[in-house]
Amino acid sequence: MKAEVNLLDFDRAALTAWFETQGEKPFRARQVLRWVHRRGADDFEQMSDVARSLREKLAAQAVVRALPVVRSGLSADGTRKWLLDVGKGEAVETVFIPEPDRATLCISTQAGCAVNCRFCATGMQGFSRNLSTAEIIGQLWMAERQMRAAAPAAAHGAESTRAISNVVLMGMGEPLQNYDAVLPALRLMLDDDAYGLSRRRVTVSTSGMVPMMDRLARDCPVALAVSLHAPNDALRSELVPLNRKYPLGELLAACRRYLVHSPRDFITFEYVLLAGVNDSDRHARELVQRVRDISCKFNLIPFNPFPGSKLRRPDAQRVRDFAAVLADAGLVATVRRTRGDDIDAACGQLAGAVRDRTDLAARRAAAIPAVTIPIVPVAASAP
Ligand code: SAH
Ligand code: SF4
């Protein structure tokens, strides 16, 4: 039987090593990297500057394959969602969010999540499996191809015209609980022969995996978002069970260490606002005290309700007042745009027969407006 490797599983070092085992020179790895990631090629025949003998060898042993798209949807504002089949009747989601000054892709790193945060639909459903490097970077590979195909005027198959300027690991899953697969994917995002994104345009969001934050600082110090959600251990342990293992003091110390590696940066603290739980002025003032000596910005996310959850979103005035306490203390606090209480119907349509456990996760990250999302056919491969 044909032994198959998926080239999307390899960052530059791994691809070079694999080519060496094939008796090929390192520059071949660079050529193939550029074809696969810069041009979105999956057909070795297209790789015209690669020797025919190598193309044949690759065709016999390797593939370039992302997760299959079950369905894709396009909202009126250009936000696009893809539902990806991860097997066993389950799916994860990737979301493309265009804005005037950037275009962000929100990607998933696990099917389900083991952290089990109380306010999170993904967490409530439990953990299924880690995604592989190919399945993670494959989301960017696929979305870039499809967005270029959707805007052919800008593309013309050119290497340099990128549709996606920013990536956030804020879809389904806890990225730092799948570190070994996430790291090569991050390296590919930053590699000039792959996606060439600057490290400030790639954001890892974590619920507080302290040891892995230190490893990330050493291995690949991209922008870091930390899901805080509470100003003290008693409340945080209730909302984010991982806090019992890595309490706030340790988490904030890890944030300070992270900034030592990138002193001109800041940590983004995410804070889901839950009515009557963590949204009072007192909580805000306590928060100010806790983060006083950390270079940071706050991203306040009014809770997105989901079926089965008894938690509620605070009203707009409470959100403004909470933000004002932070702002008065000199902290930058933005409220994430969350329209969309009626999107569930559309999400149901999108998920179809496949269990879509990510939809809320992707929506809260993407803040997709509440419009009905028509199902559109998945575009054909990029030219
Ligand atoms: N597991 C990582 C990244 C994915 S979650 C993490 O927790 O950071 C991305 C963000 O969405 C996190 O800040 C998470 O707390 C938030 N979130 C989860 N469920 C939410 C909900 N129902 N409403 C609003 N934000 C939510
Ligand atoms: Fe996992 Fe993040 Fe959801 Fe918590 S908020 S359960 S860490 S995906």
Side-chain angles (χ1 to χ4, degrees), residues 10-329:
F10 297 148
D11 63 8
R12 175 195 296 270
L15 191 62
T16 307
W18 185 74
F19 269 55
E20 266 172 26
T21 67
Q22 303 295 309
E24 297 289 343
K25 298 243 158 36
F27 82 92
R28 294 292 183 200
R30 177 168 180 266
Q31 276 183 323
V32 171
L33 206 62
R34 291 175 74 101
W35 274 104
V36 171
H37 295 287
R38 290 183 63 120
R39 307 191 77 116
D42 59 356
D43 176 0
F44 299 113
E45 266 314 296
Q46 284 180 344
M47 303 182 183
S48 48
D49 58 356
V50 174
R52 169 154 298 281
S53 58
L54 175 55
R55 277 186 282 172
E56 282 167 5
K57 207 193 289 185
L58 286 170
Q61 303 184 51
V63 291
V64 177
R65 187 187 293 145
L67 283 169
V69 176
V70 183
R71 224 157 285 172
S72 80
L74 176 64
S75 84
D77 71 349
T79 299
R80 190 178 281 268
K81 315 203 293 179
W82 294 271
L83 197 61
L84 308 173
D85 184 355
V86 293
K88 299 194 175 151
E90 294 187 15
V92 298
E93 200 176 64
T94 303
V95 183
F96 174 82
I97 310 131
E99 287 171 287
D101 61 336
R102 68 180 73 181
T104 303
L105 193 72
C106 175
I107 69 184
S108 297
T109 55
Q110 299 180 310
C113 181
V115 178
N116 196 17
C117 299
R118 254 188 58 205
F119 49 81
C120 175
T122 304
M124 299 273 285
Q125 310 251 3
F127 174 72
S128 293
R129 71 171 176 88
N130 281 326
L131 300 190
S132 66
T133 297
E135 291 167 338
I136 295 167
I137 201 68
Q139 295 171 57
L140 179 54
W141 180 84
M142 175 281 297
E144 186 65 56
R145 261 166 71 116
Q146 298 231 348
M147 294 319 297
R148 285 208 231 177
H156 296 306
E159 286 192 9
S160 55
T161 321
R162 288 260 165 233
I164 293 157
S165 64
N166 294 59
V167 176
V168 294
L169 275 59
M170 288 184 188
M172 192 176 205
E174 167 48 56
L176 298 188
Q177 286 191 344
N178 185 15
Y179 191 81
D180 290 346
V182 165
L183 181 61
L186 293 174
R187 289 193 162 133
L188 284 167
M189 290 172 201
L190 305 193
D191 194 315
D192 281 340
D193 288 321
Y195 298 91
L197 298 173
S198 84
R199 56 177 196 82
R200 289 195 178 86
R201 288 179 177 269
V202 175
T203 302
V204 168
S205 175
T206 181
S207 55
M209 283 294 294
V210 166
M212 295 300 147
M213 289 164 65
D214 286 324
R215 277 186 68 185
L216 187 66
R218 282 195 301 274
D219 293 342
C220 194
V222 293
L224 188 65
V226 172
S227 292
L228 218 51
H229 311 318
N232 58 60
D233 281 321
L235 184 53
R236 190 163 192 273
S237 292
E238 223 180 278
L239 297 175
V240 184
L242 192 63
N243 192 71
R244 292 176 204 141
K245 193 158 183 196
Y246 306 113
L248 259 181
E250 285 182 32
L251 177 56
L252 296 174
C255 291
R256 290 185 200 98
R257 288 195 297 276
Y258 199 87
L259 291 172
V260 171
H261 286 261
S262 43
R264 285 177 30 240
D265 291 358
F266 55 86
I267 305 283
T268 300
F269 287 126
E270 294 163 283
Y271 195 101
V272 173
L273 287 165
L274 304 161
V277 176
N278 67 353
D279 66 338
S280 72
D281 284 0
R282 185 179 57 78
H283 291 117
R285 283 194 296 271
E286 200 180 348
L287 202 52
V288 168
Q289 292 308 316
R290 293 300 303 233
V291 304
R292 236 180 355 193
D293 57 343
I294 300 176
S295 170
C296 66
K297 292 185 183 172
F298 270 86
N299 198 344
L300 304 175
I301 317 170
F303 174 63
N304 268 312
F306 55 90
S309 161
K310 293 194 178 65
L311 297 160
R312 285 177 305 112
R313 178 191 296 187
D315 63 33
Q317 189 56 47
R318 182 84 300 271
V319 173
R320 277 195 294 273
D321 289 348
F322 191 95
V325 174
L326 302 186
D328 288 348

Side-chain angles (χ1 to χ4, degrees), residues 328-356:
D328 288 348
L331 292 166
V332 176
T334 51
V335 177
R336 201 175 290 183
R337 199 164 52 100
T338 48
R339 296 176 271 162
D341 279 342
D342 64 339
I343 202 170
D344 287 335
C347 294
Q349 284 167 16
L350 193 72
V354 182
R355 246 166 93 208
D356 174 15

